[in-house]
Amino acid sequence: DARVTQTPRHKVTEMGQEVTMRCQPILGHNTVFWYRQTMMQGLELLAYFRNRAPLDDSGMPKDRFSAEMPDATLATLKIQPSEPRDSAVYFCASGLARGAIPSSSYEQYFGPGTRLTVT
Amino acid sequence: GNSVTQMEGPVTLSEEAFLTINCTYTATGYPSLFWYVQYPGEGLQLLLKATKADDKGSNKGFEATYRKETTSFHLEKGSVQVSDSAVYFCALGGATNKLIFGTGTLLAVQP
């Protein structure tokens, strides 16, 4: 049963520290999404990759956040320096998009999330 | 712009009760519509979807019909179980690469 995996599942860190979250998308999927979920803001799209190329990171605070896909089996989301307001659950999702049809037309498979607490 | 509005929760029901969670949307063109479910401590998972007007998506006893005339995609289930307790998200896709989620509706089913 193919699943998206995320590590770590939980992370507690102090303000100012670097945080790296990792995601392994489902093998064969060509789209990867990073979301942040909080009670106040709900689900926010942070970044989106297709065929490993970053296509949209407009939802991400670029001064401290960065997202990369060093290869097809790994996506990373880094926060440096972290702040208490970054505390949230971060989800990675992957999917298989075809042709010119927008990726949002297809099912997204979510990982279990990384719960980040910044003190 | 495109948007999704779903009913505020929490929705509290007794087991075997009928469930409706309302979802309406605003969109140009012909979007795809989804219901995702999030169980406690887990990521979202697709519950059902519909890609064109009058399509009915169904899964695990849940149903939703894509109504273009009322711009709605209400989620229904005839008899809920305790195990259905979760947060349900209506979502709209297809206009851009970004999936637009509603705010989520918490469903609590009591035995």
Side-chain angles (χ1 to χ4, degrees), chain A residues 9 33 35 37 43 45 48 50 55-56 91 101-112, chain B residues 32 34 36 38 41-46 49 51 89 92-99 101 103:
Chain A
R9 291 295 310 277
F33 303 82
Y35 292 93
Q37 186 177 40
L43 271 166
L45 178 66
Y48 158 60
R50 184 161 176 165
L55 294 190
D56 186 352
F91 288 104
I101 297 173
S103 299
S104 60
S105 298
Y106 300 96
E107 178 177 0
Q108 294 183 18
Y109 295 78
F110 282 73
Chain B
S32 297
F34 306 83
Y36 278 82
Q38 184 178 27
E42 298 184 10
L44 282 70
Q45 54 185 273
L46 181 67
K49 69 176 184 181
T51 57
F89 293 89
L92 181 152
T96 67
N97 288 314
K98 182 176 178 178
L99 191 60
F101 287 96
T103 52

Side-chain angles (χ1 to χ4, degrees), chain A residues 27 34 49 51 93 103 113:
Chain A
L27 190 65
W34 281 105
F49 292 79
N51 296 323
S103 299

Side-chain angles (χ1 to χ4, degrees), chain A:
Chain A
D1 191 18
R3 293 172 186 258
V4 174
T5 58
Q6 290 186 247
T7 57
R9 291 295 310 277
H10 302 272
K11 176 72 175 178
V12 180
T13 191
E14 292 183 348
M15 184 173 65
Q17 296 299 304
E18 178 178 301
V19 174
T20 298
M21 290 170 270
R22 293 177 174 81
C23 166
Q24 182 172 17
I26 292 173
L27 190 65
H29 281 187
N30 61 355
T31 59
V32 171
F33 303 82
W34 281 105
Y35 292 93
R36 175 169 63 185
Q37 186 177 40
T38 60
M39 289 294 291
M40 294 300 294
Q41 300 296 328
L43 271 166
E44 302 173 274
L45 178 66
L46 298 176
Y48 158 60
F49 292 79
R50 184 161 176 165
N51 296 323
R52 294 179 53 204
L55 294 190
D56 186 352
D57 61 2
S58 58
M60 209 162 62
K62 297 193 186 47
D63 57 336
R64 299 184 300 108
F65 284 59
S66 62
E68 297 180 346
M69 278 201 75
D71 62 61
T73 65
L74 177 64
T76 62
L77 180 66
K78 291 187 182 180
I79 308 174
Q80 168 64 19
S82 57
E83 296 181 2
R85 60 180 166 150
D86 300 330
S87 297
V89 181
Y90 290 81
F91 288 104
C92 173
S94 71
L96 181 60
R98 298 174 184 84
I101 297 173
S103 299
S104 60
S105 298
Y106 300 96
E107 178 177 0
Q108 294 183 18
Y109 295 78
F110 282 73
T114 294
R115 181 173 295 277
L116 174 65
T117 303
V118 183
T119 60

